[in-house]
Amino acid sequence: MRRGALVILALLGVSSALSPSTYLTPGDKERLKLVLEPAWSLSDLAQVLYASAGYKHLGQPIPNVQGVCNFVKSSVSDGVTVETLFLASSAGKALGCPIEASASSVQAVSEAIREGASSQELFHAVTAASNLGVDLDAAKVLRATQMALKKDDSVLSLGYAFHVGAQLRGEVGSIFERIEDAVVQADEVDGRMLQFEGGLSITALVLSGAYKLAEASNKAPPIKPDQAVKFANYLMSRKSVQMSKGVYYLLEAVSMFTNNKFHVPVAITLASNVAVSAEAPQVQVRVTDLKGNSLGSLKVTANSATRESDEVVIISKEALTPVSSAEGVYELDVMSRGPDRGFYRLVVSVDAPDARLVGHTAAQLTFKVLTAIDIQGVEIGTADSDQSTAPNLKKVTYPNTLAEVLVADQHQRVMLRFVVRDTASGRPTEVHQAFVKITHIDSKREIIFVAETDANDIYKFDIDVSNSMKEFGGVSGVYSVELIIGDASISNPTLWHLADLSLTFPEAASPTQPQDYTYKVRPEIKHVFRSPDQRPSSVVSRTFTVLCVLPLLMLLIMWAKLGVNVANFPITLSAFAFHVGLAVILGLFCLFWLHLDMFTTLRYLFMIGIVTFFSGNTMLSSIAAKRKE
Amino acid sequence: MELGPLGSKVTGVMLRLCLLAVCVAAAAATNTLVLVDTLATRETHSIFLKSLQERGHELTVKVADDPSLQLSRYGEYLYQNLVIFAPGVEEFGGALSVETIVEFIDGGGNVLVAGSREAADLIRELVTEVGVEMDEEGAAVIDHLHYDANDDGQHTLIAAPSSGLIDSEVMVGARDAIPLLYRGTGLITDADNPLVLPVLRAPSTAYCYSPTQAITDYPHATGQNMLLVAALQARNNARVVVSGSLEFFSDAFIMASVQTPQGASYERSGNGRVVEALSRWVFMEEGVLRVVSIDHHLQDQSEPPVAYTIKDDVEYKIKVERLVEGTWKPYVANDMQMEFVRIDPFVRLTMTPSSNGLFSVKFKVPDVYGVYQFKVEYNRVGFTRLYSSTQVSVRPFTHLQYERFIECAYPYYASAFSMMVGVFLFSLVFLHHKESPSKTKAD
């Protein structure tokens, strides 16, 4: 018997463990309001509808209602579309200033209800008609809707049809039957959410339509309670929506889920911080609908509280006591049971006096028990690698830093040992993070080591300086040694600078790497020009100039003494031409030296050379002939 | 793209008009493909996607295993940018694969990839191709000293201090003190790879490990050596950003408030600002430079000569522009350098900027002739690599350009001229000398 009950309980636990784990918190509501706010610039009718309906759902007063009403009214004139009529009349309804029906609008609405119209158009027309107080021929609407669904039976089209059906008086069973068709098309996400393809607006439209239609026809919708919870989970997962249209649909559907005759999902959430400690020993649970409203006084029971790491049960079947200061919040003192630190799974159920409530059994919540730790028996020091001498360890107490700087070289080891003690139980304990961070003070380069426990839960950290040269990059210098103690279930995670350490690595071991200039300014390079050779003094050069000119002078003087003459100069053109040519060639060489370039010089030389050559030839042959005579 | 097919015609038309206006404003719309695990991502990340649209991106949102996916058609890329917000995808659909995405990057495409703790092997393989390694499946970044108050208890919702952001305003925007929310896996990169940039480093006290298992092995990533967001700017200027957290870009994190265990609280996380700046950077809207013109000439002239002569005084000018809000504006910086290179740089000087984007430098050509290049190579964190080289030849002095009338060379001049005079006179005398008859007699 008892086993049977346990199995049923377990099944219940599995099937409804998906209670909505969140609701629209005041922060969410404020954010949604901010998304809607820009509509009050009154530039777009649709935005005004979204904002006025959204504000109504949020329970917010609408600023400047009269102005908004006037804007809505002014947007309805003769010849406007049914869609505009729908937007304006719905906005008017939400604002509390109904639009009055005019002859042309009545006509437009009734004309819109025709066979061949899409279900969206029908939805606009029917909603506008009901807002304007125009009576419609239900049978005609129904026929048109059936036609529309035949043409397009997508989820979206069905969603509009449900809204149409909900607003009709009379028999709408043919539309009601289609709810099931829509629901089966929902996709499951992660096993805990249901949505329709197309996202938030379609899902919300179909849901609100289906429930409204079910209410109108007074029959429970073919949606199972766990499906309702999954839909609610999806809506809650989308509460960070940023488009005003999305906000409008979200709020429509959430309001529907808080106020309908069939399913009201219950959000069971932690009201207190996830962490429970000696200072805050209570686990508080909030039981609300999706909008965060209290569901009245309920009996809330903690089925169990189990430690996740070792499945130790600390609480089973205990009632939570209501908190007087906050409605819908229930609490349980956990710390009085002396729990070990760690994560606990709390399974909470709510006894539902109201049959509409769903997702209220076996909601799983997680809390963690925090305890403080302290670090004791801290000893840091050095020892020789070959263990020839006893290690030289010094005691440090938290939060002090060792006054002296430890010195170690490649023949030594650096050792650290400490105990992490749970202050609540007084026993040594293990933590998730027990790291030793060693930071080079100049370069800020950090190296992190993991301290490990031995059999007695004493943490040890031991490095051989020569073996860990690679980690340190062989960089000698002063390093700071910091201890990081952290765990998700301790209340005082610690970063403690406990000592400074001067490490010396052999010089050769640290090869200087070429500087990397990838993203940096490179050093400037200035070209060093070759310096001119040293020149002799002007006295020397002048002396030698004179010496060089001397032979010519001596030649001239000796010729003068010898009595040189040119009396044999033949008075012929060729003789003149030859000597003048020779002189010009020599002159040309001077010009070449001064400013002519090679090719110009060669050209001139060629011309003068020919003249000189032939005239010289003629002259020499005439001289030779004369000599022969 | 419209977010959701629902909606009245009026807003639809308005939306389209707005989009059109945006498209016209951003002269050439950039096509961006967004791959997601489920279409819900376009709602959970709507702020990010909306900001892309507002900046003129034509977004195409598709499920990552959609069989119609393709990046290129007839050898041309259909998209300039690719966003992969699909950490769970086991295999890409259509023509997409890790190889095609790597080819896309080689072809200059930009990619933004987000992972998660449970990222599939495919995403890990992809990020390995760009020099980033994600930690093992199931490992999460944990920091017991920097977590947000909304954490679920495991301290995996990190409030990363903004001091971990890379020091580059171009990439992550102006620096402020607001922490960034992050939940996901740690990234490991090779510190010696200069192309991979640490956009966001984890705090010193963070580590990456499975939060529910005791630490038995040394964690793959610890402290500041672990990256949360990494970026690659390839040598072809293609940009890739890898984040270990998809939620980093989500509406929830962008709109969230932050409260640190130390008691500091902030109304909004820093994510929105950083995500905006980072997406601008990765999609080439920020930090893009181009060379407009190059000019070099002798200092007293305006046209470049055929060749320079050694020891000439040369002026080199380069005009550089930077893309600011879609238009090219002059770029001003005082660390632009010019090199005059013949195999090795002979001269390297910092150029003087001016407000119209013109950088100039004057220098003397080295006294070594050969084929040189004016080279500007500007590679700064966050900016595209700017590279320009112009080849010129440098020749030695022509014989006319040497110094004339050197005093110490006077003996040479004198001997040459005396020789010339001597030749002239001697030829005259030798040919036309007439022996005096008396002398002949005497002989």
Side-chain angles (χ1 to χ4, degrees), chain B residues 18-76:
Chain B
C18 287
L19 275 181
L20 197 70
V22 169
C23 295
V24 170
T30 44
N31 292 319
T32 302
L33 176 64
V34 183
L35 297 181
V36 293
D37 273 336
T38 62
L39 288 176
T41 308
R42 62 181 182 191
E43 289 168 10
T44 54
H45 291 66
S46 65
I47 297 179
F48 171 73
L49 296 176
K50 207 166 125 194
S51 80
L52 288 189
Q53 277 181 327
E54 280 167 2
R55 301 203 310 258
H57 288 255
E58 280 290 330
L59 290 189
T60 311
V61 183
K62 285 198 171 153
V63 178
D65 49 11
D66 187 323
S68 68
L69 288 181
Q70 53 179 4
L71 280 178
S72 61
R73 188 184 288 152
Y74 311 128
E76 282 201 1

Coordinates of all heavy atoms in Angstrom, one line a residue, chain B residues 18-76:
Chain B
C18 N 10.7 51.8 -43.1 CA 11.8 52.1 -42.2 C 13.1 51.4 -42.6 O 14.2 52.0 -42.8 CB 11.5 51.7 -40.7 SG 10.4 52.8 -40.0
L19 N 12.9 50.1 -42.9 CA 14.1 49.3 -43.3 C 14.6 49.8 -44.6 O 15.8 50.0 -44.8 CB 13.6 47.8 -43.6 CG 13.6 47.0 -42.3 CD1 13.2 45.6 -42.7 CD2 14.9 47.0 -41.7
L20 N 13.7 50.2 -45.5 CA 14.2 50.8 -46.8 C 15.0 52.0 -46.5 O 16.1 52.2 -47.1 CB 13.0 51.2 -47.6 CG 13.2 51.4 -49.1 CD1 13.6 50.0 -49.8 CD2 12.0 52.0 -49.8
A21 N 14.5 52.9 -45.6 CA 15.2 54.1 -45.3 C 16.6 53.8 -44.8 O 17.6 54.4 -45.2 CB 14.5 54.9 -44.3
V22 N 16.7 52.8 -43.9 CA 18.0 52.4 -43.3 C 18.9 51.9 -44.4 O 20.1 52.3 -44.5 CB 17.7 51.3 -42.2 CG1 19.1 50.7 -41.8 CG2 17.0 51.9 -41.0
C23 N 18.3 51.1 -45.3 CA 19.1 50.5 -46.4 C 19.7 51.6 -47.2 O 20.9 51.6 -47.6 CB 18.3 49.6 -47.2 SG 17.8 48.1 -46.3
V24 N 18.9 52.6 -47.6 CA 19.3 53.7 -48.4 C 20.5 54.4 -47.8 O 21.5 54.8 -48.3 CB 18.2 54.6 -48.8 CG1 18.7 55.8 -49.5 CG2 17.2 53.8 -49.7
A25 N 20.2 54.6 -46.4 CA 21.2 55.4 -45.7 C 22.6 54.7 -45.7 O 23.6 55.3 -45.9 CB 20.8 55.6 -44.2
A26 N 22.5 53.4 -45.6 CA 23.8 52.7 -45.5 C 24.2 52.2 -46.9 O 24.4 51.0 -47.1 CB 23.7 51.5 -44.5
A27 N 24.3 53.1 -47.8 CA 24.6 52.9 -49.2 C 24.5 51.5 -49.7 O 23.6 51.1 -50.4 CB 25.9 53.5 -49.5
A28 N 25.5 50.7 -49.2 CA 25.5 49.3 -49.6 C 25.1 48.4 -48.4 O 25.9 48.4 -47.5 CB 26.8 48.9 -50.2
A29 N 24.0 47.8 -48.5 CA 23.6 47.0 -47.3 C 24.5 45.8 -47.3 O 24.8 45.2 -48.3 CB 22.1 46.6 -47.5
T30 N 24.8 45.4 -46.1 CA 25.6 44.2 -45.9 C 24.7 43.0 -45.6 O 23.8 43.2 -44.8 CB 26.6 44.4 -44.8 OG1 26.0 45.0 -43.7 CG2 27.8 45.2 -45.2
N31 N 25.0 41.9 -46.2 CA 24.1 40.7 -46.0 C 24.8 39.9 -44.9 O 25.9 39.6 -44.9 CB 24.1 39.9 -47.2 CG 23.3 40.6 -48.3 OD1 22.3 41.2 -48.0 ND2 23.8 40.5 -49.5
T32 N 23.9 39.6 -43.9 CA 24.4 38.9 -42.7 C 23.5 37.6 -42.5 O 22.3 37.7 -42.5 CB 24.4 39.8 -41.5 OG1 25.2 40.9 -41.8 CG2 24.9 39.0 -40.3
L33 N 24.2 36.5 -42.4 CA 23.5 35.3 -42.2 C 23.6 34.9 -40.7 O 24.7 34.9 -40.2 CB 24.0 34.1 -43.0 CG 23.4 32.7 -42.8 CD1 22.0 32.7 -43.3 CD2 24.2 31.7 -43.6
V34 N 22.4 34.7 -40.1 CA 22.4 34.3 -38.7 C 22.0 32.9 -38.5 O 20.9 32.6 -39.0 CB 21.5 35.3 -37.9 CG1 21.6 34.9 -36.4 CG2 21.9 36.7 -38.1
L35 N 22.8 32.1 -38.0 CA 22.4 30.7 -37.8 C 22.1 30.4 -36.3 O 22.9 30.8 -35.5 CB 23.6 29.7 -38.2 CG 24.0 29.8 -39.7 CD1 25.1 28.8 -39.9 CD2 22.8 29.5 -40.6
V36 N 21.0 29.8 -36.1 CA 20.5 29.6 -34.7 C 20.2 28.2 -34.5 O 20.0 27.4 -35.4 CB 19.3 30.5 -34.4 CG1 19.7 32.0 -34.4 CG2 18.2 30.2 -35.4
D37 N 20.1 27.8 -33.2 CA 19.7 26.4 -32.9 C 18.1 26.3 -33.1 O 17.7 25.4 -33.7 CB 20.0 26.1 -31.4 CG 21.4 25.5 -31.3 OD1 21.9 24.9 -32.3 OD2 22.0 25.6 -30.3
T38 N 17.4 27.2 -32.5 CA 16.0 27.3 -32.7 C 15.6 28.7 -33.0 O 16.4 29.7 -32.6 CB 15.2 26.9 -31.4 OG1 15.6 27.9 -30.4 CG2 15.6 25.5 -30.9
L39 N 14.5 28.9 -33.7 CA 14.2 30.3 -34.1 C 13.8 31.1 -32.9 O 13.8 32.4 -33.0 CB 13.0 30.2 -35.0 CG 13.4 29.7 -36.4 CD1 12.2 29.6 -37.3 CD2 14.4 30.6 -37.1
A40 N 13.7 30.5 -31.7 CA 13.4 31.4 -30.5 C 14.6 32.3 -30.2 O 14.5 33.3 -29.6 CB 13.2 30.5 -29.3
T41 N 15.8 31.9 -30.7 CA 17.0 32.7 -30.5 C 16.8 34.1 -31.0 O 17.3 35.1 -30.5 CB 18.2 32.0 -31.1 OG1 18.3 30.7 -30.7 CG2 19.5 32.8 -30.8
R42 N 16.0 34.3 -32.1 CA 15.9 35.6 -32.7 C 15.0 36.5 -31.7 O 15.0 37.7 -31.9 CB 15.4 35.6 -34.1 CG 14.0 35.0 -34.3 CD 13.6 35.1 -35.7 NE 12.3 34.5 -35.8 CZ 11.6 34.2 -36.8 NH1 12.2 34.4 -38.0 NH2 10.4 33.8 -36.8
E43 N 14.3 35.9 -30.8 CA 13.6 36.6 -29.8 C 14.4 36.8 -28.6 O 14.4 37.9 -28.0 CB 12.2 36.0 -29.5 CG 11.3 36.1 -30.7 CD 10.1 35.3 -30.5 OE1 9.8 34.7 -29.5 OE2 9.3 35.1 -31.5
T44 N 15.1 35.8 -28.2 CA 16.0 35.9 -27.0 C 17.1 36.9 -27.2 O 17.7 37.4 -26.3 CB 16.5 34.6 -26.5 OG1 17.2 34.0 -27.5 CG2 15.4 33.7 -26.0
H45 N 17.5 37.0 -28.5 CA 18.7 37.9 -28.8 C 18.2 39.1 -29.7 O 18.9 39.5 -30.5 CB 19.8 37.1 -29.5 CG 20.4 36.1 -28.6 ND1 19.8 35.1 -28.1 CD2 21.7 36.1 -28.1 CE1 20.7 34.4 -27.3 NE2 21.8 35.0 -27.3
S46 N 16.9 39.5 -29.4 CA 16.4 40.5 -30.3 C 17.1 41.9 -30.3 O 17.2 42.5 -31.3 CB 14.9 40.7 -30.0 OG 14.7 41.3 -28.8
I47 N 17.6 42.3 -29.2 CA 18.3 43.6 -29.1 C 19.5 43.6 -30.0 O 19.7 44.5 -30.8 CB 18.7 43.9 -27.6 CG1 17.5 44.0 -26.7 CG2 19.5 45.2 -27.6 CD1 17.9 44.3 -25.3
F48 N 20.3 42.5 -29.9 CA 21.5 42.4 -30.8 C 21.1 42.4 -32.2 O 21.7 43.1 -33.0 CB 22.2 41.1 -30.4 CG 23.3 40.7 -31.3 CD1 24.5 41.4 -31.3 CD2 23.2 39.7 -32.2 CE1 25.5 41.1 -32.1 CE2 24.2 39.4 -33.1 CZ 25.4 40.1 -33.0
L49 N 20.1 41.6 -32.6 CA 19.7 41.5 -34.0 C 19.1 42.8 -34.5 O 19.4 43.2 -35.6 CB 18.7 40.3 -34.2 CG 19.3 38.9 -33.9 CD1 18.2 37.9 -34.0 CD2 20.4 38.6 -34.8
K50 N 18.3 43.4 -33.6 CA 17.7 44.7 -34.0 C 18.8 45.7 -34.3 O 18.7 46.5 -35.2 CB 16.8 45.2 -32.9 CG 15.6 46.0 -33.4 CD 14.6 46.1 -32.4 CE 14.3 47.6 -32.1 NZ 13.6 47.8 -30.8
S51 N 19.8 45.7 -33.4 CA 20.9 46.7 -33.6 C 21.6 46.5 -34.9 O 22.0 47.4 -35.6 CB 21.8 46.8 -32.4 OG 22.8 45.7 -32.5
L52 N 21.7 45.2 -35.3 CA 22.4 44.9 -36.6 C 21.5 45.5 -37.7 O 22.0 46.1 -38.7 CB 22.5 43.4 -36.8 CG 23.6 42.7 -36.0 CD1 23.7 41.3 -36.5 CD2 24.9 43.4 -36.1
Q53 N 20.2 45.3 -37.6 CA 19.3 45.7 -38.7 C 19.3 47.3 -38.8 O 19.4 47.8 -39.9 CB 17.8 45.3 -38.4 CG 17.6 43.9 -38.8 CD 16.1 43.5 -38.5 OE1 15.6 43.9 -37.6 NE2 15.6 42.7 -39.4
E54 N 19.3 47.9 -37.6 CA 19.3 49.4 -37.6 C 20.6 49.9 -38.2 O 20.6 51.0 -38.8 CB 19.2 49.9 -36.2 CG 17.8 49.9 -35.7 CD 17.6 50.1 -34.2 OE1 18.7 50.3 -33.6 OE2 16.5 50.0 -33.7
R55 N 21.7 49.1 -38.2 CA 22.9 49.6 -38.8 C 23.0 49.1 -40.3 O 24.1 49.2 -40.8 CB 24.1 49.0 -38.0 CG 24.1 49.4 -36.6 CD 25.4 49.4 -35.9 NE 26.1 48.1 -36.2 CZ 26.2 47.2 -35.3 NH1 25.7 47.3 -34.1 NH2 26.8 46.0 -35.5
G56 N 21.9 48.7 -40.8 CA 21.9 48.4 -42.3 C 22.2 47.0 -42.7 O 22.5 46.8 -43.9
H57 N 22.2 46.1 -41.8 CA 22.4 44.7 -42.2 C 21.2 44.1 -42.7 O 20.1 44.2 -42.1 CB 22.9 43.9 -41.0 CG 24.3 44.2 -40.5 ND1 25.4 43.4 -40.8 CD2 24.8 45.3 -39.9 CE1 26.5 43.9 -40.3 NE2 26.2 45.1 -39.8
E58 N 21.3 43.4 -43.8 CA 20.1 42.6 -44.3 C 20.3 41.2 -43.6 O 21.1 40.4 -44.0 CB 20.2 42.4 -45.8 CG 19.8 43.6 -46.6 CD 18.2 43.7 -46.5 OE1 17.6 42.7 -46.4 OE2 17.8 44.9 -46.6
L59 N 19.4 41.0 -42.6 CA 19.6 39.7 -41.8 C 18.8 38.6 -42.4 O 17.7 38.8 -42.9 CB 19.1 39.9 -40.4 CG 19.9 40.8 -39.5 CD1 19.3 40.7 -38.1 CD2 21.3 40.5 -39.5
T60 N 19.4 37.4 -42.5 CA 18.7 36.2 -42.8 C 18.9 35.3 -41.7 O 20.0 34.9 -41.4 CB 19.4 35.6 -44.1 OG1 19.5 36.6 -45.1 CG2 18.5 34.5 -44.6
V61 N 17.8 35.0 -41.0 CA 17.9 34.1 -39.8 C 17.5 32.7 -40.2 O 16.4 32.5 -40.8 CB 17.1 34.6 -38.6 CG1 17.2 33.7 -37.4 CG2 17.4 36.0 -38.3
K62 N 18.4 31.7 -40.0 CA 18.0 30.4 -40.4 C 18.5 29.4 -39.3 O 19.5 29.7 -38.6 CB 18.7 30.0 -41.7 CG 18.1 30.6 -42.9 CD 18.4 29.9 -44.2 CE 17.6 30.5 -45.3 NZ 18.2 30.4 -46.6
V63 N 17.8 28.3 -39.2 CA 18.3 27.2 -38.3 C 19.5 26.6 -38.9 O 19.6 26.5 -40.1 CB 17.1 26.2 -38.2 CG1 17.6 25.1 -37.3 CG2 15.9 26.9 -37.6
A64 N 20.5 26.3 -38.0 CA 21.8 25.9 -38.5 C 21.8 24.6 -39.3 O 22.7 24.3 -40.0 CB 22.8 25.8 -37.3
D65 N 20.8 23.8 -39.1 CA 20.8 22.5 -39.9 C 19.7 22.6 -41.0 O 19.3 21.6 -41.6 CB 20.6 21.3 -39.0 CG 19.4 21.5 -38.1 OD1 18.6 22.4 -38.3 OD2 19.2 20.6 -37.2
D66 N 19.3 23.8 -41.4 CA 18.5 24.0 -42.5 C 19.1 23.5 -43.8 O 20.2 23.9 -44.1 CB 18.2 25.6 -42.7 CG 17.2 25.9 -43.7 OD1 17.2 25.2 -44.7 OD2 16.4 26.9 -43.5
P67 N 18.4 22.6 -44.5 CA 19.1 22.0 -45.7 C 19.3 22.9 -46.8 O 20.0 22.6 -47.8 CB 18.1 20.9 -46.1 CG 16.8 21.2 -45.4 CD 17.1 22.0 -44.2
S68 N 18.8 24.1 -46.8 CA 19.0 25.1 -47.9 C 20.1 26.0 -47.7 O 20.3 27.0 -48.5 CB 17.7 25.8 -48.1 OG 17.5 26.7 -47.1
L69 N 20.9 25.8 -46.7 CA 22.0 26.8 -46.4 C 23.0 26.8 -47.4 O 23.5 25.7 -47.9 CB 22.6 26.4 -45.0 CG 21.8 26.7 -43.8 CD1 22.7 26.3 -42.6 CD2 21.4 28.1 -43.7
Q70 N 23.4 28.0 -47.8 CA 24.6 28.1 -48.7 C 25.2 29.4 -48.5 O 24.5 30.4 -48.3 CB 24.4 27.8 -50.1 CG 23.2 28.6 -50.7 CD 23.0 28.2 -52.2 OE1 23.7 27.4 -52.7 NE2 22.2 29.0 -52.8
L71 N 26.6 29.5 -48.5 CA 27.3 30.8 -48.3 C 27.6 31.4 -49.6 O 27.7 32.6 -49.7 CB 28.6 30.5 -47.5 CG 28.4 30.4 -46.0 CD1 29.8 30.1 -45.5 CD2 27.9 31.6 -45.4
S72 N 27.8 30.6 -50.7 CA 28.2 31.2 -51.9 C 27.4 30.6 -53.1 O 26.9 29.5 -53.0 CB 29.7 31.0 -52.2 OG 29.9 29.6 -52.3
R73 N 27.2 31.4 -54.1 CA 26.5 30.9 -55.3 C 27.3 31.3 -56.5 O 27.7 32.5 -56.6 CB 25.1 31.4 -55.3 CG 24.3 30.8 -56.4 CD 22.9 31.4 -56.5 NE 22.1 31.0 -55.4 CZ 21.1 31.8 -54.9 NH1 20.9 33.0 -55.5 NH2 20.4 31.4 -53.9
Y74 N 27.6 30.4 -57.4 CA 28.4 30.7 -58.6 C 29.7 31.4 -58.2 O 30.1 32.3 -58.9 CB 27.6 31.5 -59.6 CG 26.2 31.0 -59.9 CD1 25.1 31.8 -59.8 CD2 26.0 29.7 -60.2 CE1 23.9 31.3 -60.0 CE2 24.8 29.2 -60.5 CZ 23.7 30.0 -60.4 OH 22.4 29.5 -60.6
G75 N 30.3 30.9 -57.1 CA 31.6 31.4 -56.8 C 31.6 32.8 -56.1 O 32.6 33.4 -55.8
E76 N 30.4 33.4 -55.9 CA 30.4 34.6 -55.2 C 29.7 34.4 -53.8 O 28.7 33.7 -53.7 CB 29.6 35.7 -56.0 CG 30.4 36.2 -57.1 CD 29.9 37.5 -57.6 OE1 28.9 38.0 -57.1 OE2 30.5 38.1 -58.5

